[in-house]
Amino acid sequence: MSDLKSECQEINNWFIKNTFQYEIPYCFTASYKNDKAYLSILSTNIGLVTSRSILQNYRPIKIYHIDGPSTEYTEIYFKNVNQEISFDYASISKVFDYNVRLQMSWYMLSPKNIKSHTINFHNFINGGYRNYLIVPLINDQIDYDFMQEFIKQREGQVNGQCLKDMNLDDQKLNDYLFYIPKTQQVNCIYAIISQPWKQTVDEYFNLISENSKFTIEQLKEYYCIDETILKKSIGYFFYEHQFKTKTENINPILQLRSYQNQYNQRDLALVIFKQVTTIQRVQYYTEDQVNSLENKSQNLKIHTCKPKLEINTLTTHIMPISNLFRYPFSVDQYDNFLMLPTFLLELEQQLIVSEFANSIGIEPSLRVQRAISRASYNRDINYELLETLGDSILKYLATLQVSLGPQNTNENILSDQRSQIVNNNYIGKHLFKYQYFGLFYYVRSLGHQTKWFSPVLQNIHSNHIQPEPVKQVSATMLVSFLADIFESLIASVFLDKDSLYDVYKFLLHLRHPVCYYPATEKYYPKQPIVQQYQFPIMHNYMSFKDLINPVRQLSELEKQHFQKNQIEYLNYLQSEVIEYQFHNKYILYESFRVQGSNMDIDLPLELYYKFLLNSNTPSTRGHQMLELLGDAVLECYIMCNCFNQIMFKFTPTNLYKIKMVLLSNSFLSKIAICYNIMHNFQDPAIIQFIESVKLDEKFTYYNGNFVRVPKVLSDTFEALVGALFMDGGWQPVCNFLQKVYLKFIPFVCTYLNDIDDHVIDRVHQYSASKQGHMDIKSFKQENGQFCYEIRIDGQIVGRFTHEHERVAKEKACESACKKLKI
């Protein structure tokens, strides 16, 4: 190819100055890299020459079009891929010229403008990432003779078969395309008037009325003729009739007469034809695009080069058959070309996604593609949605990593250590540091090819990307955005494999510190943690009491007995509540130890519990470590099991709401008292909570923390989950949580939109919708109680006083909601 470069220097200089990119997809104008190329054959019998080998596409490519109320598609696949071919100067020039001529035909460009509208030969020679050139085939090989003949036809050196030399009774004529040599205009034909001097005007008018909204009477009035003219021949009407001066728009007939005067063709058959649809006007969709159309009937577009013969202005194109010549391609073949931009769009996405996925150690898939798509490209599933799930999974992995280390520290320090490796700043810079293919180069919303629904992935090759300083990264793309993409990829790996072990392998490939310890089946199971929940018949007015999976409630006598004998209480929990027998009882003991020391034996967590078991020594620590671990395990379980079971199109806000509903202190405290999970049955705060809580209230009425919730209840429940996890791994945790959330997860996934937002959020939303100014004022009264006032535009709409500040604020917002009726 170096010889080719040297031979084309003069051509290059000229093309650089005279190139105009004319709405051709970028993948058509991208450039070659070397003289080795690859031939791939599509099922539509079109050959694609690529400068790089084509990777296996990870899902079938379906090209959709809308036909009336229905949606139809054509599936295009590769019959053969990556057959190596070599180009010399003559062959590469012929292929290049063939593509220019072919694309000019699609865009209806005049031969006079070929120099100013050609694609850039300089780019083609110098090389780039990937391009696609179209070639004709014969026996699965490039047909250079056909290309040469096609180029000669488009240059006017030779003509195809003339229509007058063809069998006019052939039913296949309507499937052929024809062109006019003078203008190179490609046309499709609809009807042939084989004997214009014998067929009557009445027959011609009937043909028009069948394909238009005009009646015979309207046609007579339009052409200012009477009944006698209808019996005349079509030849007389076209060539001899004297139209009145007030007759409007008879240009097609006048043009036909000019042909007759010029060529004396009045005895030849006439053809009714129409110019083919240009590639700009056709509309095909990828699967994502057709699914995102809100109203398909309003987006009806032309999807074939041969549109319907609909005469709206009485302008019919008529020409002698001697002026039309056979175009090398049929209507079906031309339609296959019109599908190429949409096909190559989807193919380009899949190829770049495949390269990117391979570079970071994961398998390419549709979810990976959506994980690096913005909402502006795909509103249903995109990185903003997936990163919410990935955040919970990463939180679990990071919590596990910091918890399994030496234990001479408290949970606050461990929480800080976890934050250091999961915060956006660290993740963004870490992903940038270990980027293989420059993630921030791949991701965008809609590029410069907006007319072609361009991919979200930028078409730049990794070999041309040099690492840049982090300062430039922040200018190119926010670090937080990189972190969100990182978390989104975590979610896509989990959803594809349904395995935390595969997430571990992915992060290990990127050398993330959450994979510091070796993976074990106990903590990183290959088996799915997503369980199948049956959706029973439910109603949105069901209460917490209706949804809880009940266990036997303890009598007062039993509570007093368990208060004095903790070992028997824990045995009761194992046999009747969690239905699991601990292998190491000291882990269970620690989960109910609210108060304890932070410092203990400096051993990794697993070795620490083995030491307790072997030495038969109870722990002196509190349950804060298990609470920290249980909180992460619980959130990971809830988010993973809710993500695939929501019954409607959801948003990141919906996922955040699930956390607020199913993981709040209020909800977990209610679960704890219903399952008799508490460290002290005689705690006054717990007794007061049991007496005041309303379990028969509608679950969709989200009351937040209106009643002061003893946080120790939710902490104890999380510590118990953490203890189950440390003793048996995910299996006992999944069994227990499926029992607890048996009806809650199906209910929330079905009626999430019916569940009220928190009262504070509702007041803020009301204020924003009314464009009013909301102000929350608080002050402490002389008696020590807190008073909150909710003001909108200076007017008090809610007020409440309480000894606890948070309760006062929420109650004030609740009274505001009642007054504003929201």
Side-chain angles (χ1 to χ4, degrees):
M1 188 61 72
S2 59
D3 295 336
L4 178 60
K5 288 183 181 179
S6 61
E7 293 177 12
C8 294
Q9 289 302 318
E10 294 182 6
I11 301 176
N12 291 345
N13 295 333
W14 189 90
F15 272 113
I16 291 173
K17 298 177 182 178
N18 297 277
T19 298
F20 176 68
Q21 301 291 349
Y22 56 94
E23 296 180 347
I24 289 182
Y26 181 72
C27 50
F28 282 158
T29 61
S31 45
Y32 258 102
K33 188 175 180 182
N34 51 44
D35 57 350
K36 180 185 288 187
Y38 301 87
L39 173 63
S40 300
I41 302 174
L42 300 179
S43 57
T44 53
N45 205 35
I46 293 176
L48 289 181
V49 174
T50 59
S51 57
R52 289 172 57 87
S53 58
I54 292 180
L55 301 177
Q56 180 67 38
N57 53 309
Y58 48 82
R59 68 164 177 165
I61 298 179
K62 298 179 179 179
I63 308 302
Y64 290 81
H65 69 267
I66 301 172
D67 191 1
S70 62
T71 302
E72 300 179 2
Y73 70 87
T74 300
E75 184 172 329
I76 303 179
Y77 57 90
F78 286 101
K79 294 167 57 178
N80 189 15
V81 293
N82 302 331
Q83 175 185 340
E84 286 194 17
I85 56 176
S86 296
F87 279 141
D88 55 18
Y89 177 74
S91 59
I92 194 174
S93 299
K94 189 175 295 184
V95 172
F96 177 81
D97 199 10
Y98 171 78
N99 276 262
V100 172
R101 302 284 178 174
L102 184 61
Q103 293 177 32
M104 288 182 65
S105 175
W106 298 345
Y107 288 88
M108 303 302 172
L109 295 174
S110 169
K112 299 179 181 178
N113 299 325
I114 180 173
K115 294 300 182 183
S116 61
H117 289 84
T118 185
I119 55 181
N120 195 320
F121 199 67
H122 173 75
N123 287 344
F124 182 83
I125 298 299
N126 277 356
Y129 172 35
R130 178 187 291 117
N131 64 33
Y132 309 91
L133 291 178
I134 302 167
V135 291
L137 301 171
I138 180 170
N139 297 326
D140 292 343
Q141 298 296 325
I142 298 177
D143 190 349
Y144 289 99
D145 293 336
F146 179 87
M147 282 193 289
Q148 186 64 40
E149 191 69 19
F150 181 83
I151 293 171
K152 288 182 178 180
Q153 280 194 23
R154 304 313 292 171
E155 290 179 347
Q157 299 178 15
V158 297
N159 289 325
Q161 185 181 13
C162 183
L163 179 56
K164 72 176 182 178
D165 299 328
M166 302 175 68
N167 181 10
L168 300 184
D169 295 327
D170 188 357
Q171 297 296 322
K172 295 183 178 179
L173 283 181
N174 288 343
D175 298 329
Y176 297 153
L177 294 177
F178 297 86
Y179 70 97
I180 303 171
K182 183 177 180 180
T183 63
Q184 292 293 322
Q185 174 184 310
V186 182
N187 307 283
C188 42
I189 64 175
Y190 297 88
I192 295 179
I193 304 173
S194 58
Q195 297 178 323
W197 293 98
K198 292 184 178 180
Q199 293 174 264
T200 64
V201 176
D202 193 29
E203 294 179 59
Y204 174 63
F205 279 7
N206 284 328
L207 176 64
I208 293 179
S209 62
E210 289 174 2
N211 297 282
S212 70
K213 60 183 179 180
F214 301 103
T215 63
I216 300 296
E217 293 299 322
Q218 288 174 323
L219 291 172
K220 289 164 57 180
E221 181 181 354
Y222 178 83
Y223 287 108
C224 300
I225 60 177
D226 54 24
E227 194 72 27
T228 60
I229 302 298
L230 294 181
K231 305 304 179 182
K232 298 282 186 177
S233 69
I234 297 177
Y236 166 81
F237 181 75
F238 284 155
Y239 295 126
E240 298 179 358
H241 180 69
Q242 298 296 319
F243 292 98
K244 294 183 179 180
T245 55
K246 70 175 184 178
T247 305
E248 302 173 355
N249 196 4
I250 57 171
N251 289 333
I253 298 178
L254 296 178
Q255 185 182 38
L256 185 62
R257 291 185 181 184
S258 69
Y259 281 124
Q260 187 268 333
N261 295 330
Q262 186 176 0
Y263 300 107
N264 193 20
Q265 300 170 330
R266 59 185 291 162
D267 294 330
L268 290 177
L270 301 174
V271 60
I272 296 177
F273 70 97
K274 197 171 184 180
Q275 188 174 356
V276 296
T277 305
T278 62
I279 197 170
Q280 297 104 316
R281 295 184 59 205
V282 298
Q283 185 65 74
Y284 289 97
Y285 302 93
T286 63
E287 187 172 352
D288 287 340
Q289 292 166 358
V290 77
N291 290 335
S292 64
L293 293 178
E294 295 179 355
N295 191 333
K296 294 184 173 57
S297 62
Q298 293 182 1
N299 290 274
L300 182 59
K301 302 287 185 180
I302 300 171
H303 61 272
T304 177
C305 69
K306 185 175 183 178
K308 295 180 180 179
L309 180 62
E310 294 178 346
I311 303 173
N312 299 321
T313 61
L314 288 176
T315 301
T316 54
H317 297 281
I318 312 165
M319 182 173 288
I321 59 174
S322 59
N323 288 26
L324 292 174
F325 293 82
R326 173 78 186 277
Y327 188 70
F329 302 108
S330 66
V331 172
D332 289 340
Q333 289 173 323
Y334 204 91
D335 283 345
N336 289 336
F337 287 135
L338 300 186
M339 287 190 284
L340 279 177
T342 308
F343 169 79
L344 291 177
L345 160 68
E346 179 66 22
L347 177 64
E348 182 73 6
Q349 287 185 0
Q350 292 199 28
L351 292 179
I352 300 179
V353 168
S354 296
E355 287 192 344
F356 173 68
N358 294 336
S359 73
I360 57 176
I362 59 179
E363 294 183 10
S365 67
L366 177 60
R367 279 199 178 95
V368 174
Q369 178 178 331
R370 290 172 172 173
I372 48 180
S373 300
R374 286 183 178 173
S376 55
Y377 179 75
N378 190 315
R379 290 176 295 178
D380 296 335
I381 301 181
N382 50 70
Y383 88 93
E384 295 178 358
L385 190 66
L386 292 170
E387 68 96 4
T388 309
L389 173 61
D391 176 72
S392 298
I393 297 175
L394 184 61
K395 177 183 175 181
Y396 157 72
L397 296 174
T399 305
L400 184 61
Q401 191 274 331
V402 299
S403 300
L404 293 179
Q407 297 304 300
N408 264 347
T409 184
N410 59 45
E411 75 282 358
N412 294 326
I413 296 177
L414 291 180
S415 181
D416 291 338
Q417 292 176 357
R418 178 183 67 185
S419 177
Q420 291 174 8
I421 60 176
V422 299
N423 68 77
N424 286 347
N425 190 47
Y426 176 84
I427 294 175
K429 291 181 178 180
H430 176 86
L431 187 60
F432 168 76
K433 181 179 179 181
Y434 291 106
Q435 61 169 314
Y436 291 82
F437 279 76
L439 177 63
F440 56 92
Y441 276 102
Y442 282 91
V443 185
R444 64 182 183 178
S445 55
L446 291 177
H448 59 281
Q449 309 168 38
T450 53
K451 193 167 186 175
W452 295 94
F453 298 95
S454 65
V456 296
L457 303 171
Q458 198 164 4
N459 188 13
I460 297 180
H461 185 237
S462 61
N463 293 340
H464 299 159
I465 296 174
Q466 300 297 327
E468 300 180 19
V470 177
K471 292 182 180 179
Q472 296 184 26
V473 177
S474 59
T476 307
M477 182 178 296
L478 295 176
V479 173
S480 61
F481 180 77
L482 283 173
D484 290 344
I485 293 293
F486 184 88
E487 294 168 347
S488 177
L489 289 169
I490 291 175
S492 68
V493 172
F494 175 80
L495 293 172
D496 277 338
K497 300 295 184 179
D498 201 11
S499 164
L500 289 173
Y501 177 73
D502 287 278
V503 176
Y504 173 88
K505 290 195 302 181
F506 163 56
L507 295 176
L508 182 64
H509 184 85
L510 294 181
R511 290 172 277 183
H512 194 280
V514 296
C515 301
Y516 182 80
Y517 296 104
T520 61
E521 179 67 22
K522 180 178 179 181
Y523 304 132
Y524 305 95
K526 298 179 182 179
Q527 302 300 320
I529 63 171
V530 176
Q531 299 173 303
Q532 295 299 321
Y533 283 84
Q534 294 183 353
F535 281 63
I537 298 176
M538 291 182 171
H539 305 283
N540 62 355
Y541 53 77
M542 295 181 73
S543 66
F544 188 98
K545 189 175 182 180
D546 297 327
L547 295 171
I548 193 71
N549 190 16
V551 296
R552 181 179 65 86
Q553 291 300 304
L554 299 177
S555 64
E556 289 299 324
L557 187 62
E558 287 177 308
K559 291 181 181 180
Q560 295 175 8
H561 176 70
F562 288 153
Q563 182 70 25
K564 298 177 182 179
N565 194 330
Q566 188 184 35
I567 294 179
E568 290 191 17
Y569 168 64
L570 297 179
N571 290 335
Y572 154 76
L573 284 180
Q574 294 179 86
S575 60
E576 296 191 31
V577 178
I578 59 179
E579 298 178 356
Y580 170 78
Q581 293 297 320
F582 275 75
H583 301 99
N584 188 341
K585 59 183 179 180
Y586 296 109
I587 303 178
L588 179 60
Y589 294 170
E590 183 179 310
S591 66
F592 282 86
R593 186 179 178 86
V594 177
Q595 301 295 332
S597 62
N598 292 326
M599 307 294 290
D600 209 326
I601 301 174
D602 189 8
L603 288 173
L605 195 60
E606 287 186 302
L607 292 179
Y608 173 74
Y609 286 131
K610 288 182 179 178
F611 168 77
L612 296 181
L613 182 63
N614 293 333
S615 62
N616 201 22
T617 305
S619 172
T620 61
R621 299 186 314 184
H623 65 190
Q624 287 75 20
M625 180 70 68
L626 293 175
E627 175 205 338
L628 178 73
L629 191 58
D631 172 71
V633 170
L634 189 58
E635 180 178 330
C636 181
Y637 175 87
I638 293 299
M639 295 305 294
C640 290
N641 277 275
C642 287
F643 192 90
N644 281 331
Q645 303 192 61
I646 297 181
M647 303 296 288
F648 52 87
K649 290 183 179 180
F650 53 101
T651 64
T653 304
N654 295 131
L655 295 177
Y656 176 75
K657 191 173 181 180
I658 288 176
K659 287 186 184 181
M660 297 298 294
V661 172
L662 296 181
L663 296 173
S664 66
N665 289 334
S666 175
F667 177 83
L668 296 181
S669 297
K670 293 177 183 178
I671 291 291
I673 63 172
C674 290
Y675 280 86
N676 302 313
I677 300 173
M678 55 194 78
H679 75 293
N680 185 354
F681 288 98
Q682 297 180 354
D683 188 327
I686 296 178
I687 295 175
Q688 181 182 1
F689 175 69
I690 294 175
E691 292 175 351
S692 59
V693 70
K694 299 177 181 178
L695 298 180
D696 55 352
E697 193 173 54
K698 281 180 61 176
F699 190 76
T700 54
Y701 175 61
Y702 178 67
N703 58 4
N705 293 322
F706 296 157
V707 179
R708 187 64 178 176
V709 177
K711 190 174 182 299
V712 66
L713 283 175
S714 58
D715 291 347
T716 303
F717 181 82
E718 292 171 346
L720 178 60
V721 173
L724 276 170
F725 178 77
M726 285 306 303
D727 188 75
W730 273 102
Q731 189 60 46
V733 170
C734 290
N735 293 339
F736 174 57
L737 293 182
Q738 185 179 30
K739 173 183 177 181
V740 172
Y741 288 96
L742 182 65
K743 295 180 181 178
F744 287 108
I745 285 181
F747 183 87
V748 170
C749 290
T750 305
Y751 298 110
L752 183 63
N753 288 331
D754 293 337
I755 297 177
D756 293 338
D757 293 326
H758 195 282
V759 286
I760 299 178
D761 295 333
R762 283 153 58 191
V763 174
H764 277 289
Q765 292 169 6
Y766 175 85
S767 176
S769 65
K770 300 298 182 181
Q771 297 182 348
H773 174 68
M774 175 183 171
D775 188 20
I776 300 180
K777 292 186 175 294
S778 65
F779 53 90
K780 197 171 184 178
Q781 296 180 336
E782 295 181 357
N783 58 3
Q785 292 191 333
F786 294 92
C787 181
Y788 267 82
E789 293 180 351
I790 311 299
R791 300 171 183 258
I792 295 182
D793 293 334
Q795 182 179 0
I796 297 178
V797 294
R799 190 175 189 275
F800 200 82
T801 303
H802 197 272
E803 58 180 324
H804 297 293
E805 186 176 6
R806 181 173 178 82
V807 175
K809 181 178 180 180
E810 292 177 341
K811 284 290 188 180
C813 289
E814 182 187 19
S815 63
C817 289
K818 291 180 179 179
K819 184 173 182 179
L820 298 172
K821 297 180 180 180
I822 57 175

